Amino acid sequence: MTASEHDFRQPLDRAHAAALDWLRSLESRPVPFSATADDILAELPATVQQEPLDPTAVVDELVRVVEPGLMAIPSGRFFGWVMGGSLPAALASDWLVSAWDQNTGLRFATPAMAAIEEAAGRWLLDLLALPATADVGFTTGATMANFVGIVAGRDRVLQRQGWSVAADGLAGAPRVAVLTGAEVHFSVELALRNAGLGAPMRIAVDAEGRMRPDALAAALAEVEGPAIVCLQAGNIHSGAFDPMTECIAAAREHGAWVHVDGAFGLWAAASPALRDHVAGLELADSWATDAHKTLNVPYDCGIAVVADTAALRAAFGGRTSYLIQLDDAPSDPFERVPELSRRARGVPVFAALRQLGRSGVVALVDRLASTARALAEQIGALPGVEVLNEVVFTQVCLAFGDDDRTQRVTRALIADGAVWMSGSRWQDRDILRISVSNWSTDVDDVATAVAAVRRAMAAADAAPAASVAP
Ligand SMILES: *Cc1c(COP(=O)(O)O)cnc(C)c1O
């Protein structure tokens, strides 16, 4: 017996209604949650109940229990970390991905999903001006996309030394030197750790966190064996971009593999106004970006791009007796990512690109950057506020005098709830960081944010530190 539409109708209708309620609430609800994870856990039975429940009741309970613990991340007033919201076509198509339930590993078995993802991959290469012959894999996020590029690079540079990681592992292999900027994203370090490469050599950066090409060249001159250079397009604090052309030239001189972490910044390549920041980007070997940040598809979706398709396939591909693989076809979806079975993550990317079109992608990226500039100008004009970075992309770092006052303003802002911005530390100072990543953030949200920061400063100055709610 196959389950019938009848089994699904009521739970899906309830989920649909609850989703619309949630989306409607984003307009006015406070951005922060009002219940913690422990509060919500306390509402739940410690062990699963003995008897089955009606599926609709399960959906209703879930909606009720989670409500106070939801952060309004998809709201236009959310400026925390680098998160993004969901474009309507992306969200709707993500629902269908669940309903279709296609295990998107094989071209032969799930041809529709493979085709949609291949089309989306080609469009991405074109929009981001990356080599048209590169392979594209859809991962859970940029952490795994970084892992894909780094593993493909590791295996290739070792293979050039006559060492096969696939056959012999890493023990006894020549040491692969990995060089990153001093402000490398934590996820690159995680990927390196899990790829068996250990901690990177950190190369000096300038005041905006950009790798210094002279320092990279000097460090590479000391390296004897194989090397991987990890560059960054989009520093999470300043938004700045490593100088691609110069750094890649230094890496090439040494024969190093070049990987670019462009989780949100790679999208600058799509904009004629911003493209200069990443000039030379296409000369790298592999790139990682997110679709769940700048492109505004629902969590989760990252994108791994590797120019050396043979290296990618050697790292993640394979042949078995039970998987049906077509000869003479492009590589199978599973050969471009660490997962064998997975959902069709590329479908919401396809839908987002189709909704936006080329002009919509450019307008989205340009609007995120111009909104960040507007926030920096308007908040920076308030008395006692310093903008610490050159606002070249979507990130703004603010300080409100000394660390203590910045912390008090940050706590007051989060307690206020009209907007969310993240506290962080950069250039040896506590800061309040803004990221503009949501397609729906508009001038009203900018005005709301400026007013909220103004209120937070007043609250921080009126109250002694201890009486401001966390
Ligand atoms: C977000 C981010 C990552 C990690 O991406 P996930 O999608 O969280 O896995 C890596 N690098 C940079 C620069 C980022 O902003």
Side-chain angles (χ1 to χ4, degrees), residues 447-462:
T448 301
V450 176
V453 171
R454 199 194 281 274
R455 279 197 303 279
M457 285 196 292
D461 293 340

Side-chain angles (χ1 to χ4, degrees), residues 174-217:
R175 167 102 197 169
V176 178
V178 181
L179 301 92
T180 69
E183 295 191 11
V184 61
H185 192 271
F186 170 64
S187 69
V188 172
E189 295 179 293
L190 271 184
L192 292 170
R193 194 198 295 170
N194 290 303
L197 296 174
M201 297 167 64
R202 290 163 166 270
I203 306 301
V205 295
D206 69 12
E208 297 297 313
R210 292 176 292 232
M211 187 186 283
R212 283 180 29 207
D214 58 324
L216 175 63

Side-chain angles (χ1 to χ4, degrees), residues 211 213 216 231 241-253 258 260 275-284:
M211 187 186 283
L216 175 63
L231 302 178
F241 304 84
D242 287 345
M244 297 290 155
T245 305
E246 295 88 333
C247 289
I248 295 173
R252 288 284 174 254
E253 193 108 320
V258 181
V260 180
R275 187 172 290 163
D276 280 354
H277 291 306
V278 289
L281 177 77
E282 70 285 358
L283 302 170

Side-chain angles (χ1 to χ4, degrees), residues 4 75 80 219 291:
S4 81
S75 146

